[in-house]
Amino acid sequence: MATRLLTLLLFIGLAATTTQAQNLDSTASFPVNAVIFLKDGTQLRGVLLSESPVGARIRTDNLGEITVTSDKIESIEKNEGGFYHKGKYWFDNPHHTRYFFSPSALSLRKGEGYYQNAMLLLNSVEVGVTDHFSMGGGFVLNPTFRDWQVLFLTPKVSFPSQSRVTFGVGALAIGVFNRRYDFNNQTGISRKDGIEVNLAGIGYGLMTIGGDERNGTVGLGWGFAEGEITASPVLNLSFMSRVGRRVGLVTENWIFIPAKGDPAVGILSGGVRFFGEKMAVDLALWVPVGPDNTLFAIPYVDFVIKFGQKKRPGQRSR
């Protein structure tokens, strides 16, 4: 029942994506987004309407159209990013390639990257190697700094199409490193005896419908450990939508498809994402579901800091 309900909700969200996304992603009706830096330290952000040796004319959110003479201008920074929504400037979504933990098929652009910290313990970095291939990695913080460590890699390849559908494949490869001890029964002393390494992870395929500001993803993955692959896959249904300049909604849901005769179990989640131009913060609740589960929710928090986005040549002028 939970699987059917999640599927229905996801496809309702995807339908909204295909019909409404143009309202968020279109920039064709405006010349160019820009910031005018004045010599007195003031910054004017908006749509640059004209520029000449005499001065510049810009349309701002709060002050309307303003003409500034060249003797007052320190510099002009033109920015192809961002867009206008209902007359207001919105910066680009700084965290469009991932929900809470699971990725979408959308890719970072070459040179972009982000650092993510979840629940203080889970640390990761993801970088766009090309426009369609990203590589990430991270670790789980061991509060004792002793005896064990968990490291992981997250490669992903994206395959964009001519429509608003993007496909992707990737993996989460995990290495668990445990220190071994040799206990001497006669002396009662334990000595370090090397490190034991255990490898596990999941390989997955993704289909994402939508763009940077609103998208939904269906994912299917198979786990692997100790050289064996699980017989039953894991289904992921996720959706995000930006509902304000600095606010979005995110849901990420995992359904563990059972072997024949076993009951289905899963993890459902929903939360709010708060945006800055270079960062995002998620506040959410995770709810395990299953035939024998008592209903309870686990609080979740993470933050993301974006880095590495380079300005295009010629963006800064006088």
Side-chain angles (χ1 to χ4, degrees), residues 39-58:
K39 293 181 179 179
D40 65 2
T42 303
Q43 298 181 16
L44 301 175
R45 181 187 297 274
V47 175
L48 186 65
L49 302 175
S50 65
E51 182 183 8
S52 71
V54 178
R57 189 161 58 97
I58 189 170

Side-chain angles (χ1 to χ4, degrees), residues 28 48 101 112:
L48 186 65
F101 181 75
E112 289 182 332

Side-chain angles (χ1 to χ4, degrees), residues 141-270:
L141 178 64
N142 179 353
T144 68
F145 298 99
R146 297 180 59 188
D147 296 341
W148 63 268
Q149 183 61 64
V150 178
L151 306 177
F152 57 89
L153 295 174
T154 55
K156 185 182 74 175
V157 181
S158 298
F159 304 94
S161 66
Q162 297 299 318
S163 64
R164 295 181 63 80
V165 179
T166 305
F167 297 93
V169 294
L172 168 63
I174 303 171
V176 181
F177 301 82
N178 293 293
R179 183 173 295 281
R180 291 196 302 253
Y181 287 90
D182 180 25
F183 181 75
N184 190 313
N185 292 321
Q186 294 180 349
T187 63
I189 297 175
S190 296
R191 298 182 183 275
K192 296 178 181 179
D193 187 29
I195 295 177
E196 179 183 3
V197 179
N198 297 288
L199 302 178
I202 184 171
Y204 58 80
L206 304 166
M207 181 184 73
T208 297
I209 300 177
D212 292 355
E213 309 302 328
R214 182 186 289 113
N215 61 71
T217 295
V218 178
L220 203 61
W222 279 263
F224 58 87
E226 303 300 326
E228 296 185 0
I229 300 176
T230 57
S232 299
V234 178
L235 175 67
N236 177 264
L237 303 174
S238 298
F239 181 76
M240 73 167 69
S241 179
R242 192 169 178 181
V243 297
R245 185 171 183 265
R246 294 185 177 273
V247 181
L249 300 176
V250 182
T251 179
E252 178 181 319
N253 308 284
W254 297 82
I255 304 297
F256 300 91
I257 299 175
K260 187 175 181 180
D262 294 333
V265 295
I267 303 175
L268 313 182
S269 72

Side-chain angles (χ1 to χ4, degrees), residues 8 14 27 37-38 50 56 58 63 69 91 113 116 130 155 160 175 205 211 216 219 245 270 282-283 303 305 310 316:
L8 176 62
L14 295 184
T27 61
F37 296 88
L38 303 184
S50 65
I58 189 170
L63 303 176
T69 56
F91 49 82
Q116 181 179 32
T130 72
R245 185 171 183 265
D282 294 325
L283 301 176
F303 68 88
I305 299 175
K310 298 180 180 180
R316 199 172 184 91

